[in-house]
């Protein structure tokens, strides 16, 4: 997710009253409220005009979720969406027609998301039409995706639902990035932002708990040894820099580098030293149930870096789990979005694992079986011209 997107999400979180950081909500004084799987909507007059119903729901849920939005609550919110493939038969999996010819980045992203069972369950079970106010000028993004998920796993044609997704994204002013780059990661960040703007706070809170990390950071001053701590950075997809290179490093090593690094120009809040670099290390205080890793292959000049980063089926984040995080943090690969070509033009495909564990390559409409070994071998850019760009990982239970 780009910093820009993160800022705007932060802003909408502030607007939604979710600004309490994980740590200050953990104060004993913070009142812990019981969370039910279904947001309670009693007392909302559904006969009122759409706009006012939405406002009332928002108000009610805002009151309900502030101020005790703590780590334990976050885990509880994530756990209301179970991990199983019920209602998602392997036989239903299908390619998606590239209806306008320029949407392969979206097909590859959505195909990968549709293979995150908790994403589908969240859409189908926790965003009911009666909790949503669909405005003609701004159709609800979660609703069109729910309809797509339902069509996809029913095994019937997804064409109509996919056209509706395109229409809704356009109506909500989705624009391809600068220079015409059509980027699945940008699209994902945009989706998260739309969810945060359009959904009742309780629904978005469940989504965020499922998909976002909370990272606690501590920064050590080399000059005096003082460690200053900052809790509660919320991050969606991890955007991993491929520089500096790590000799022989795999994805886990790059994630490690992403979480721990040197900071310059940082003033120590104990001795005031600003001249020396400080060591910052971040630990996972909340582990999401599934998340995306972006390998940052495109620089601001639009150049593509195809350097191979090997990855395994298992991504073990136990060593970077914060002491106060009780959730085992081992992950398995569940989908990969790959890119071929240059930053200016190219093609995206998805490799996704199905309900039965079988991997498939989805290339627009076509669907071909793959071995797991072939998926892992795609890390090597020499295999077929496609380079992995987004990797989805699912928490192992
Ligand atoms: Zn909706
Ligand atoms: Zn110091």
């Amino acid at each position: 997710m780009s910093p820009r997107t993160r800022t705007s999400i932060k802003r909408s979180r502030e607007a939604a009253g979710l600004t309490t950081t994980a740590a200050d909500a953990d104060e004993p004084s913070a009142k812990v409220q019981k969370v039910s799987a279904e947001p309670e909507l009693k007392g909302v007059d559904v006969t009122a005009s759409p706009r006012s119903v939405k406002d009332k729901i928002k108000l009610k849920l805002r009151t309900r979720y502030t101020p005790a939005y703590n780590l334990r609550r976050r885990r509880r919110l994530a756990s209301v969406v179970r991990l199983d493939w019920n209602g998602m038969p392997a036989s239903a999996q299908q390619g998606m027609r590239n209806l306008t010819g320029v949407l392969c980045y979206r097909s590859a992203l959505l195909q990968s998301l549709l293979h995150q069972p908790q994403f589908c369950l969240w859409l189908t079970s926790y965003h009911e039409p009666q909790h949503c106010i669909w405005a003609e000028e701004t159709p609800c993004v979660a609703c069109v995706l729910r309809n797509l998920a339902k069509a996809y796993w029913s095994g019937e044609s997804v064409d109509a639902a996919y056209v509706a997704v395109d229409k809704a994204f356009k109506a909500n002013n989705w624009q391809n990035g600068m220079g015409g780059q059509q980027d699945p990661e940008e699209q994902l960040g945009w989706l998260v932002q739309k969810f945060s703007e359009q959904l009742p706070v309780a629904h978005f809170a469940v989504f965020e708990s499922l998909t976002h990390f909370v990272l606690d950071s501590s920064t050590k001053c080399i000059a005096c040894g003082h460690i200053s701590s900052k809790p509660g950075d919320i991050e969606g997809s991890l955007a991993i820099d491929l520089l500096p290179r790590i000799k022989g490093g795999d994805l886990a090593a790059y994630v490690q580098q992403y979480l721990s690094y040197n900071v310059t120009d940082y003033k120590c809040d104990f001795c005031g030293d600003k001249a020396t670099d400080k060591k910052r290390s971040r630990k996972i205080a909340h582990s999401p149930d599934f998340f995306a890793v972006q390998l940052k292959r495109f620089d601001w000049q639009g150049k593509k870096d195809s350097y191979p980063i090997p990855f395994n089926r298992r991504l073990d984040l136990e060593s970077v789990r914060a002491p106060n995080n009780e959730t085992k943090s081992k992950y398995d690969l569940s989908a990969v979005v790959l890119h071929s070509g240059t930053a200016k033009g190219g093609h995206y495909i998805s490799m996704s694992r199905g309900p039965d564990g079988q991997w498939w390559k989805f290339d627009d409409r076509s669907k071909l079986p793959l071995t797991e070994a072939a998926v892992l071998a795609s890390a090597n850019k020499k295999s077929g011209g496609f380079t992995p760009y987004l990797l989805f990982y699912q928490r192992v239970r």
Side-chain angles (χ1 to χ4, degrees):
M1 193 180 305
S2 68
R4 175 173 47 78
T5 320
R6 266 203 290 274
T7 316
S8 35
I9 288 174
K10 193 165 172 242
R11 225 176 289 126
S12 62
R13 285 174 48 79
E14 276 161 10
L18 281 179
T19 45
T20 331
T21 65
D24 48 33
D26 262 345
E27 295 290 325
S29 62
K31 203 174 138 212
V32 178
Q33 294 168 331
K34 196 166 171 280
V35 180
S36 64
E38 275 300 317
E40 195 185 290
L41 297 169
K42 269 183 232 150
V44 175
D45 177 11
V46 288
T47 58
S49 77
R51 181 51 67 188
S52 77
V53 170
K54 190 177 186 179
D55 289 345
K56 278 183 194 171
I57 292 172
K58 267 195 175 164
L59 194 69
K60 196 164 179 70
L61 295 173
R62 193 179 304 167
T63 321
R64 195 179 167 80
Y65 280 85
T66 313
Y69 196 69
N70 62 14
L71 291 173
R72 223 166 272 146
R73 159 158 304 189
R74 211 168 260 268
R75 174 80 347 251
R76 217 177 314 135
L77 283 175
S79 68
V80 302
V81 184
R82 64 188 189 278
L83 172 63
D84 67 46
W85 293 86
N86 271 345
M88 300 176 214
S91 58
Q93 298 172 96
Q94 54 186 299
M96 299 202 291
R97 272 171 69 190
N98 193 342
L99 291 159
T100 70
V102 293
L103 293 175
C104 60
Y105 70 98
R106 182 180 297 162
S107 301
L109 172 68
L110 294 181
Q111 192 69 255
S112 303
L113 284 172
L114 289 169
H115 282 79
Q116 311 304 319
Q118 284 173 294
F119 180 68
C120 296
L121 271 174
W122 171 73
L123 283 172
T124 52
S125 310
Y126 297 93
H127 181 59
E128 299 287 341
Q130 66 265 29
H131 301 157
C132 165
I133 303 308
W134 179 303
E136 188 139 354
E137 65 279 12
T138 51
C140 173
V141 164
C143 275
V144 289
L145 290 176
R146 181 191 55 239
N147 296 343
L148 179 71
K150 281 188 170 168
Y152 185 85
W153 289 108
S154 75
E156 285 160 22
S157 164
V158 293
D159 285 0
Y162 199 27
V163 169
V165 166
D166 188 42
K167 250 175 101 179
F169 284 16
K170 275 196 189 121
N172 280 293
N173 293 321
W174 158 253
Q175 277 161 356
N176 297 324
M178 306 234 296
Q181 165 77 6
Q182 291 152 346
D183 189 316
E185 200 277 336
E186 237 174 80
Q187 177 96 90
L188 179 60
W190 181 83
L191 280 181
V192 175
Q193 191 181 340
K194 283 293 147 193
F195 291 157
S196 79
E197 289 167 7
Q198 295 185 331
L199 298 181
V201 171
H203 295 180
F204 183 71
V206 172
F207 175 80
E208 196 186 71
S209 304
L210 277 175
T211 57
H212 282 52
F213 288 91
V214 175
L215 299 173
D216 288 351
S217 85
S218 59
T219 308
K220 186 175 182 182
C221 173
I222 312 284
C224 76
H226 174 71
I227 295 173
S228 61
S229 301
K230 187 175 149 285
D233 266 345
I234 295 162
E235 281 195 25
S237 44
L238 303 179
I240 306 288
D241 279 314
L242 308 191
L243 292 170
R245 304 279 199 234
I246 303 168
K247 212 179 165 196
D250 61 1
L251 179 67
Y254 281 86
V255 170
Q256 199 88 35
Q257 175 170 272
Y258 174 78
L259 292 173
S260 296
Y261 51 93
N262 283 351
V263 281
T264 50
D265 212 23
Y266 177 90
K267 191 177 165 193
C268 171
D269 51 16
F270 188 75
C271 74
D273 170 80
K274 207 178 167 184
T276 51
D277 286 4
K278 315 284 182 294
K279 273 199 180 322
R280 174 166 298 163
S281 84
R282 300 191 290 168
K283 298 270 185 205
I284 302 167
H286 170 79
S287 308
D289 280 8
F290 65 95
F291 66 92
V293 181
Q294 177 201 17
L295 301 174
K296 287 170 76 180
R297 298 203 178 275
F298 303 104
D299 69 10
W300 61 276
Q301 292 170 303
K303 270 205 227 115
K304 184 182 175 185
D305 179 355
S306 295
Y307 188 76
I309 308 285
F311 51 89
N312 295 314
R313 180 220 296 209
R314 181 61 53 88
L315 179 63
D316 189 337
L317 299 178
E318 280 291 274
S319 66
V320 283
R321 175 154 68 101
N324 59 343
N325 178 359
E326 289 164 10
T327 309
K328 285 258 179 296
S329 304
K330 293 183 178 180
Y331 290 82
D332 273 349
L333 188 67
S334 54
V336 187
V337 173
L338 303 97
H339 177 261
S340 77
T342 65
K344 289 211 174 66
H347 187 50
Y348 287 100
I349 59 168
S350 161
M351 294 177 178
S352 302
R353 196 183 57 195
D356 51 3
Q358 170 69 48
W359 282 88
W360 295 92
K361 180 166 96 178
F362 296 101
D363 182 349
D364 289 333
R365 199 177 188 177
S366 93
K367 170 192 161 204
L368 286 169
L370 280 175
T371 61
E372 186 179 87
V375 175
L376 300 179
S378 74
N380 186 340
K381 67 178 175 194
K382 288 180 196 83
S383 59
F386 281 92
T387 23
Y389 177 53
L390 279 180
L391 299 113
F392 287 84
Y393 277 91
Q394 209 168 73
R395 197 163 62 76
V396 179
R397 309 305 154 90

